[in-house]
Amino acid sequence: MSLNNHVIVAGGGASGLCAAIAAARKGATVNVIEKNDTCGKKLSMTGNGRCNLANLNVSSDDYNERSRNRMKNWLEEFGVDRVAEFFASLGLVIVSEDGYLYPISGQAGSVVSVLMNECQRLGVEFTYNEQVKRIIKNDDRAYTVKTDKNEYNCKAVILATGGLAGPKTTGSTGDGYYICEQLGMSKKDTFPALVPLLSEDETLPSESGVRSIARITFMIGEGEIATEYGEVQITRNGISGIPVMQASGVVAEHLAKGRPITCSIDFFPGYSENEFEELVNRLMNLSDDRKLGELLDGFCNSHINEMVLKRMKISRGMKLKNVGSSMLSCILYKYRDIRVEISGTADYKKAQVTRGGISLGDLTDKLEAKSAEGVFVVGELCDVDGRCGGYNLQWAWTSGYIAGEAAGSL
Ligand SMILES: Cc1cc2nc3c(=O)[nH]c(=O)nc-3n(C[C@H](O)[C@H](O)[C@H](O)COP(=O)(O)OP(=O)(O)OC[C@H]3O[C@@H](n4cnc5c(N)ncnc54)[C@H](O)[C@@H]3O)c2cc1C
């Protein structure tokens, strides 16, 4: 085979398949080397099996701070319109649910299928059950890709081996970091992101999973580092739910620097201060011969009530008249500021994405390694992570397509 226009893609996940298509559309011969026995294992479990493949409202602000400047340009080049166009060209019908894009089939498997069908149509070759171990630069501006079983020569390599997040069966073992470092690239420290947070607080409900709409603010001391709104889930081991996951990457970075993180949960986020004061006054006027527990039964979730009473060391059987109005007011206001100390994050297996990765400063605008011309780095392997809501797959398509076109045109 002539090496003139031969591209090897290491990793057949979202970014790798997209890159393979883009390179093949430019006329390159493409071989995808995948260490699993099939491509797109993680992709087929995204979005709870429905694949939230992009978001109409995407902007660079949806990505970690370090990447925002570069993301602006990348999204201008291959933003959500280009993603929609790309999938339309593969025959995938997409629907929007409040801006969150899904295949109309409701099956993430459809996304994998249309990508694989297009690869087949373009003559992309697949090598399964081989793990890329190393890339060696040769004198003739070509590369040798060494796997655990074979060696392959090519003109360009696209590294799309993903990060560390998700079940290990999906192939997320972080192999690409070492391969890139061998080629002179540097890596920003990695952390699990979009991940539940752990707490050793013994007052957390013993029931698994109390869910409630809340505003949650993460703090170092009293200094706010992130605030989110949505359905928070509180379990014996900690907190999760979309708002917690959204903040988890920032929290993980601070925890790794040894900074203690506390969160404050407001279970009445829809109430202004005045409205809440009125509510409290109304409830205090009910202070007849009822018991405290009876008042709280109608006020909030029973497990949250239990948690508050446990923290304040007050019995639900206490008569309201004995509680007293200032104590009652103090109890009710607690629901707007429940403090939970965060002890860590759940591990990578429970994470949806990796924060950190190959430094963007080591890559050109075409995602080509500055230290190794002809080697491209895409997807989760890069130091880019986005919010939950289709933004991480958007990055996989954006980086995959831009790098694929460039590699295919070399
Ligand atoms: C449970 C879950 C749900 C998610 N849901 C969503 C969602 O709805 N929307 C969204 O935007 N994002 C979602 N994500 C994140 C999204 O899946 C990732 O951002 C995306 O898959 C990253 O694509 P990638 O191509 O970089 O890596 P991957 O998709 O992880 O692909 C990497 C591929 O490389 C292969 N590989 C690894 N090492 C080697 C090697 N040495 N040699 C050969 N092959 C190798 C792996 O086997 C794998 O096939 C979810 C993640 C998880 C875990």
Side-chain angles (χ1 to χ4, degrees):
M1 179 193 295
S2 150
L3 289 187
N4 274 345
N5 202 6
H6 186 54
V7 175
I8 287 186
V9 179
S15 62
L17 292 175
C18 182
I21 291 170
R25 284 179 175 177
K26 284 287 176 191
T29 59
V30 181
N31 181 11
V32 176
I33 303 178
E34 167 55 54
K35 76 171 169 189
N36 278 328
D37 57 4
T38 173
C39 285
K41 274 199 173 174
K42 192 193 281 181
L43 183 54
S44 64
M45 60 170 67
T46 54
N48 284 326
R50 294 174 61 216
C51 185
N52 177 195
L53 59 87
N55 196 304
L56 290 179
N57 300 314
V58 66
S59 88
S60 53
D61 290 344
D62 297 309
Y63 296 88
N64 74 40
E65 264 184 64
R66 277 195 300 270
S67 64
R68 284 182 195 160
N69 275 343
R70 306 286 302 274
M71 278 309 292
K72 226 175 185 170
N73 297 335
W74 282 319
L75 288 173
E76 265 166 33
E77 187 168 349
F78 200 91
V80 65
D81 293 350
R82 292 290 305 277
V83 172
E85 214 174 87
F86 171 67
F87 280 106
S89 78
L90 308 187
L92 187 78
V93 182
I94 292 173
V95 284
S96 160
E97 293 176 15
D98 295 332
Y100 296 70
L101 301 185
Y102 294 90
I104 199 167
S105 64
Q107 294 174 308
S110 311
V111 180
V112 180
S113 294
V114 297
L115 289 164
M116 292 301 287
N117 294 344
E118 181 71 356
C119 283
Q120 220 157 24
R121 205 179 65 75
L122 292 164
V124 172
E125 285 184 9
F126 286 87
T127 305
Y128 290 110
N129 300 309
E130 280 191 38
Q131 183 177 14
V132 173
K133 293 276 195 186
R134 245 189 120 168
I135 296 169
I136 294 160
K137 191 166 178 21
N138 302 318
D139 298 335
D140 53 356
R141 291 170 54 88
Y143 287 93
T144 300
V145 175
K146 285 193 171 203
T147 73
D148 51 350
K149 296 182 183 141
N150 286 303
E151 289 188 7
Y152 303 86
N153 293 318
C154 59
K155 185 74 191 293
V157 188
I158 300 173
L159 277 164
T161 50
L164 287 158
K168 289 287 163 269
T169 51
T170 62
S172 297
T173 45
D175 299 1
Y177 301 130
Y178 175 72
I179 299 171
C180 289
E181 281 171 336
Q182 292 269 310
L183 290 165
M185 289 172 253
S186 57
K187 179 184 134 226
K188 298 281 180 201
D189 288 346
T190 55
F191 308 95
L194 299 185
V195 69
L197 296 176
L198 306 178
S199 174
E200 285 161 10
D201 188 320
E202 288 183 353
T203 65
L204 294 184
S206 51
E207 264 32 53
S208 63
V210 177
R211 290 164 186 270
S212 181
I213 296 292
R215 176 171 298 108
I216 182 157
T217 305
F218 293 89
M219 296 169 301
I220 300 171
E222 289 300 312
E224 183 181 321
I225 55 164
T227 192
E228 297 285 343
Y229 168 87
E231 190 180 69
V232 174
Q233 193 177 355
I234 309 178
T235 67
R236 185 71 202 86
N237 301 322
I239 52 173
S240 61
I242 304 279
V244 172
M245 311 262 278
Q246 301 287 30
S248 60
V250 174
V251 170
E253 271 191 272
H254 283 293
L255 284 172
K257 288 178 183 148
R259 296 175 187 147
I261 307 280
T262 308
C263 71
S264 157
I265 311 175
D266 175 2
F267 288 108
F268 286 82
Y271 282 73
S272 67
E273 273 182 36
N274 284 345
E275 285 166 342
F276 194 72
E277 196 181 326
E278 270 173 39
L279 175 67
V280 169
N281 288 337
R282 197 157 18 104
L283 291 174
M284 300 227 292
N285 285 336
L286 296 176
S287 306
D288 43 29
D289 62 347
R290 273 170 239 232
K291 292 179 180 146
L292 175 61
E294 290 171 40
L295 184 91
L296 297 181
D297 283 343
F299 183 62
C300 197
N301 179 294
S302 59
H303 301 298
I304 297 170
N305 292 340
E306 236 175 81
M307 182 168 77
V308 171
L309 292 176
K310 202 163 160 188
R311 285 169 169 232
M312 299 192 77
K313 298 190 173 56
I314 296 176
S315 148
R316 61 174 276 120
M318 206 166 167
K319 284 265 170 63
L320 282 177
K321 60 179 175 221
N322 296 333
V323 174
S325 59
S326 70
M327 183 51 130
L328 181 57
S329 162
C330 178
I331 294 170
L332 299 179
Y333 271 99
K334 266 274 169 252
Y335 287 77
R336 301 214 72 174
D337 185 17
I338 300 268
R339 300 279 172 122
V340 179
E341 267 179 45
I342 306 300
S343 57
T345 68
D347 62 19
Y348 281 109
K349 281 198 290 287
K350 297 245 168 76
Q352 288 197 5
V353 75
T354 313
R355 171 159 287 218
I358 298 306
S359 174
L360 298 183
D362 291 343
L363 305 176
T364 69
D365 288 346
K366 297 292 170 193
L367 287 313
E368 189 172 12
K370 290 177 183 168
S371 59
E373 219 177 296
V375 174
F376 296 78
V377 183
V378 298
E380 196 175 323
L381 179 55
C382 301
D383 177 26
V384 172
D385 65 289
R387 290 170 65 79
C388 191
Y391 306 104
N392 288 297
L393 283 173
Q394 168 76 55
W395 168 242
W397 317 129
T398 297
S399 56
Y401 210 90
I402 292 173
E405 278 199 326
S409 311
L410 281 180

